[in-house]
Amino acid sequence: MILNTIENLVRPVFPFTAIVGQEEMKLALILNVIDPSIGGVMIMGDRGTGKSTTIRAIADLLPEIEVVADDPFNSHPFNIELMSEEIKQAVENKIVLPTKYIKVPMVDLPLGATEDRLCGTIDIEKALKDGVKTFEPGLLAKANRGILYVDEVNLLDDHLVDLLLDSAASGWNTVEREGISIRHPSRFVLVGSGNPEEGELRPQLLDRFGMHAEIRTVKDPALRVKIVEQRSQFDKSPQQYISQSIPQQDELKQHIINAQINLPTTQIDYDLKVKISQVCAELDVDGLRGDIVTNRAAKAFAAYNNRDHVSQEDIRKTITLCLRHRLRKDPLESIDSGDKVNKVFQEVFG
């Protein structure tokens, strides 16, 4: 009886493998999960196209991670880069720390969040009561080794977006408050979503997202009916619907784990790297971030398809996602940015 009550308290999540369409968004999320150094994904599209559902579904799909028990930063028990300073000292002093497995953290950043809520602050209550200055971790601490999701990121305050992107790029969050300096790991996959009708992100901020997926409302009537029916079945009996999807979910989960294992040994030939950079140069992409992200995404895609060498097809499948948001906006240009990337890719790669 108690088990049923606890199970009912957990909000059911729509299975990732049951989501129909929106292949571009699903691929971008999977590649970022395989290699978080790609730098996150920005998902722009119409209202009601399943952006939030898909993002929550990918977090639910991921295998559990091992963390140091009772550590607010989800510190890794072995990897120094993913440990808080306190845990690192304990490991150096050869103290045996208890560990546990948890679901990959999925943290939502609300639009009204303050800087203190995001980065962390001093626990005033403890300072007044015990006379001890204690750090109270924020959302960046909770998101370490997980996914940080910002819905309507184009409506978020610019200074919060700056803080987010700095932490995502460096993998660390530093807080200076009341004479206390705290630095903790903050490695997460940053996922933003928004509707372009409600305003665009500044180009320099957009450029900091590794990938950019554009999604549109499904037009095919048969496919729309299928989506509506699936949602109705899920709402009617969530647990039954989830249990039917377990074999496909487990298969995809294993696929992702294998890709993460194979990624370090996946190679990309020098001539393909040169052609990627040639595409970026011809598209007049500022900086080298586009080159780096395209290389990483192509390797992740090759690993996902169980190959140890990147092919031209791997690059073709990923380059638009990596470059379309880095092009300079020309109000007189009639061609879509994604089509422009494809056109230059065909010219360079043949």
Side-chain angles (χ1 to χ4, degrees), residues 17-167:
T17 52
I19 293 167
V20 177
Q22 312 301 9
E23 299 305 321
E24 196 174 275
M25 168 170 59
K26 291 196 286 188
L27 177 63
L29 289 169
I30 287 170
L31 295 181
N32 271 276
V33 163
I34 292 168
D35 183 4
S37 70
I38 286 171
V41 56
M42 179 69 193
I43 300 165
M44 293 297 268
D46 304 329
R47 292 179 292 274
T49 45
K51 297 189 288 289
S52 300
T53 302
T54 308
I55 293 156
R56 289 189 172 84
I58 190 79
D60 190 62
L61 172 77
L62 299 177
E64 291 187 337
I65 56 171
E66 189 179 10
V67 300
V68 175
D70 303 320
D71 179 72
F73 307 108
N74 304 322
S75 290
H76 196 288
F78 315 114
N79 189 338
I80 288 176
E81 286 297 306
L82 299 173
M83 287 179 190
S84 64
E85 298 296 330
E86 200 175 308
I87 300 298
K88 198 185 293 182
Q89 283 176 5
V91 169
E92 285 169 358
N93 295 331
K94 295 186 167 53
I95 297 170
V96 178
L97 298 165
T99 65
K100 64 177 181 178
Y101 282 86
I102 63 166
K103 285 186 80 67
V104 168
M106 166 75 190
V107 177
D108 278 282
L109 176 65
L111 282 179
T114 61
E115 187 178 328
D116 283 352
R117 181 78 186 99
L118 179 64
C119 298
T121 186
I122 303 304
D123 190 336
I124 301 296
E125 190 180 335
K126 207 163 190 179
L128 292 172
K129 199 162 73 175
D130 304 333
V132 180
K133 287 182 178 177
T134 312
F135 179 67
E136 190 177 307
L139 295 176
L140 289 177
K142 285 184 182 176
N144 187 37
R145 301 178 64 202
I147 295 172
L148 183 60
Y149 174 46
V150 191
D151 194 10
E152 309 294 356
V153 67
N154 43 345
L155 303 181
L156 194 67
D157 285 347
D158 282 347
H159 79 284
L160 286 184
V161 177
D162 286 333
L163 287 169
L164 263 181
L165 293 170
D166 284 342
S167 292

Side-chain angles (χ1 to χ4, degrees), residues 198-248:
E198 291 164 356
E200 293 284 349
L201 267 181
R202 302 201 315 265
Q204 61 269 39
L205 297 181
L206 201 52
D207 177 63
R208 298 284 285 277
F209 282 91
M211 302 177 106
H212 186 284
E214 287 183 0
I215 54 175
R216 298 280 175 263
T217 304
V218 175
K219 300 296 183 190
D220 178 28
L223 203 52
R224 289 172 77 114
V225 169
K226 187 179 179 183
I227 293 166
V228 171
E229 284 179 345
Q230 282 190 327
R231 188 71 216 190
S232 300
Q233 287 169 17
F234 175 77
D235 290 340
K236 189 178 176 183
S237 181
Q239 295 306 331
Q240 186 184 340
Y241 192 86
I242 290 167
S243 64
Q244 288 170 356
S245 302
I246 286 173
Q248 296 95 318

Side-chain angles (χ1 to χ4, degrees), residues 6 51 57 72 99 175 196 208 277 283 328:
I6 292 168
K51 297 189 288 289
T99 65
V175 183
R208 298 284 285 277
S277 291
L283 287 168
R328 292 182 180 180

